[in-house]
Amino acid sequence: MKIPIWLDCDPGHDDALAITLSCFHPALQLLGISASYGNAPATKTAYNARSLVTALGMFEQIPVYAGAQKPLYRTPEYAPDIHGESGLDGTELLPEPKCELQQGSYVEAMEKAILEHANEITIVATGPLTSLATLLIQKPHLKSKIKYISIMGGGIEVGNRNDNCSAEFNVWIDPEAANFILQDPELKDKSILLGLDITHKAIATQQVVDQVRGVVGKSKLRQLFYELFQFFAHSYEGAQDFKDGPPLHDPLTLIPLLEFYGWAPKSQVQFQYKRLDLRVVDDATHSDFGKTCVIKEYDPNDKRGTMVGFNANMDFFWKQILDCLAEAEKSSTIE
Ligand code: BDR
Ligand code: CA
């Protein structure tokens, strides 16, 4: 049986690869996408999501909804320093979307997906946690029906935002939403956090990027992703001094699922995590505003505490990315 997932994202260069993996990995069944504000305003991320599913040839299969439009309580912040003004700068190859946004609310659509796949579904979040928090604030009965929540966000030893560089972007832009998930007694223990501690180990080196482009064929889809990687590398070098390539954060959210659902053995995925209770600093006057703090560490065999990733088999990770790109090439509409 495939792993049913819902993807809430804010594309975003690395989100684009999370979408690709979600659409084409043989273990995954992508039920729908919600596009949240985050890397860019929500209208732009929604456009980018629709354009990406069009480029991937999945515009008829995967419904795209508008997700959260702004943080629970705060004024939105975006990331043009990393993703450009559009949220997905760096290529002219993104097609005009062939699908509209779905009518109706992402809240109802996610509820339907969860109820139809009760106790099996994972919600994957690769942007701020606002959409998911909104859903579960409005519909708390759904909490018990979700198997896992896999989040790109936070960081224990590493940050990329605030004055102290101690916060991570996705939790920094909506710390109240992050705390709603990470402090909820029913949700925290089924949450998997792929923070900067692990995602900074997923570096898209020039060798990886060359493999993305491919030697033979050089399809337009590969060229599109190649250009996205190049832009991402350039902004990460400029903004955060990454010299060997950019960290490809978001698609890592899918990797532990392959192990946890039994699709790939532990010895192959090698996902290493600690069980931690966490809290995000939500006092805006604090110099560590947005930092993910450890409140308690459990024994690794305990079932309590969020599963916070620190390492995984990165060769395995890149293989999943490259295999899915090869699959995507077959259905791409931008030949
Ligand atoms: C996260 O922030 C965004 O810029 C990326 O898409 C990723 O989800 C990394 O801090
Ligand atoms: Ca993202």
Side-chain angles (χ1 to χ4, degrees):
M1 198 197 84
K2 291 197 177 203
I3 306 167
I5 59 169
W6 183 280
L7 176 61
D8 186 75
C9 57
D10 62 337
H13 295 69
D14 50 338
D15 300 83
L17 272 304
I19 291 175
T20 307
L21 219 60
S22 302
C23 284
F24 292 101
H25 199 286
L28 302 172
Q29 181 192 3
L30 178 59
L31 303 169
I33 292 176
S34 41
S36 166
Y37 80 91
N39 288 322
T43 45
K44 292 184 179 176
T45 59
Y47 180 92
N48 295 344
R50 291 187 297 129
S51 173
L52 284 164
V53 295
T54 302
L56 295 167
M58 297 301 277
F59 58 94
E60 284 171 333
Q61 289 92 324
I62 309 296
V64 179
Y65 288 82
Q69 303 293 295
K70 59 185 182 58
L72 291 181
Y73 310 114
R74 297 178 187 277
T75 310
E77 303 265 2
Y78 308 114
D81 55 329
I82 299 292
H83 300 274
E85 286 299 325
S86 72
L88 209 47
D89 275 12
T91 182
E92 304 271 296
L93 292 175
L94 281 163
E96 195 65 34
K98 287 191 182 165
C99 57
E100 297 297 327
L101 274 180
Q102 295 290 317
Q103 301 280 323
S105 150
Y106 71 93
V107 169
E108 310 302 330
M110 286 178 83
E111 178 182 39
K112 186 164 176 279
I114 292 168
L115 293 177
E116 282 176 2
H117 299 270
N119 308 317
E120 288 299 331
I121 190 170
T122 286
I123 309 296
V124 179
T126 62
L129 285 159
T130 322
S131 304
L132 184 56
T134 303
L135 170 75
L136 296 173
I137 288 167
Q138 290 183 18
K139 299 184 182 285
H141 62 278
L142 297 178
K143 289 180 188 176
S144 64
K145 310 271 191 265
I146 298 170
K147 189 170 174 83
Y148 296 113
I149 297 171
S150 190
I151 300 164
M152 191 284 130
I156 308 304
E157 304 290 343
V158 197
N160 60 15
R161 294 283 152 165
N162 83 19
D163 292 346
N164 291 347
C165 200
S166 59
E168 183 281 326
F169 179 75
N170 288 342
V171 302
W172 171 79
I173 45 177
D174 196 348
E176 284 81 8
N179 277 334
F180 177 83
I181 307 293
L182 297 173
Q183 301 226 283
D184 185 285
E186 212 177 338
L187 300 175
K188 70 179 181 67
D189 303 343
K190 58 169 96 178
S191 294
I192 311 163
L193 198 77
L194 290 298
L196 299 176
D197 309 275
I198 182 166
T199 68
H200 280 192
K201 294 173 182 164
I203 299 295
T205 59
Q206 193 56 48
Q207 193 195 347
V208 166
V209 175
D210 287 343
Q211 283 175 284
V212 165
R213 184 162 60 169
V215 200
V216 221
K218 279 194 196 161
S219 66
K220 275 211 180 132
L221 187 74
R222 284 188 179 276
Q223 185 64 24
L224 187 166
F225 277 102
Y226 178 74
E227 290 175 9
L228 290 177
F229 270 99
Q230 294 291 87
F231 182 91
F232 205 40
H234 186 71
S235 31
Y236 258 96
E237 182 164 11
Q240 293 181 37
D241 208 26
F242 276 70
K243 300 238 182 285
D244 297 334
L248 198 67
H249 312 278
D250 291 342
L252 270 172
T253 46
L254 300 159
I255 296 302
L257 305 183
L258 303 179
E259 179 181 318
F260 291 176
Y261 281 83
W263 187 84
K266 197 178 174 61
S267 58
Q268 193 173 30
V269 184
Q270 295 169 27
F271 179 57
Q272 293 171 23
Y273 61 91
K274 292 182 183 172
R275 284 278 194 176
L276 305 172
D277 279 351
L278 302 167
R279 186 178 62 81
V280 177
V281 178
D282 58 5
D283 172 359
T285 65
H286 200 292
S287 56
D288 277 327
F289 175 65
K291 180 180 160 83
T292 315
C293 302
V294 178
I295 306 301
K296 184 171 181 174
E297 177 163 358
Y298 296 92
D299 183 89
N301 297 320
D302 210 306
K303 297 279 178 249
R304 291 170 299 170
T306 297
M307 292 162 268
V308 181
F310 285 86
N311 218 334
N313 178 354
M314 293 302 167
D315 290 339
F316 176 77
F317 169 64
W318 291 115
K319 183 171 173 359
Q320 309 314 300
I321 296 279
L322 293 167
D323 286 356
C324 289
L325 262 178
E327 271 312 301
E329 243 184 318
K330 296 179 193 162
S331 64
S332 171
T333 62
I334 58 164
E335 277 316 311

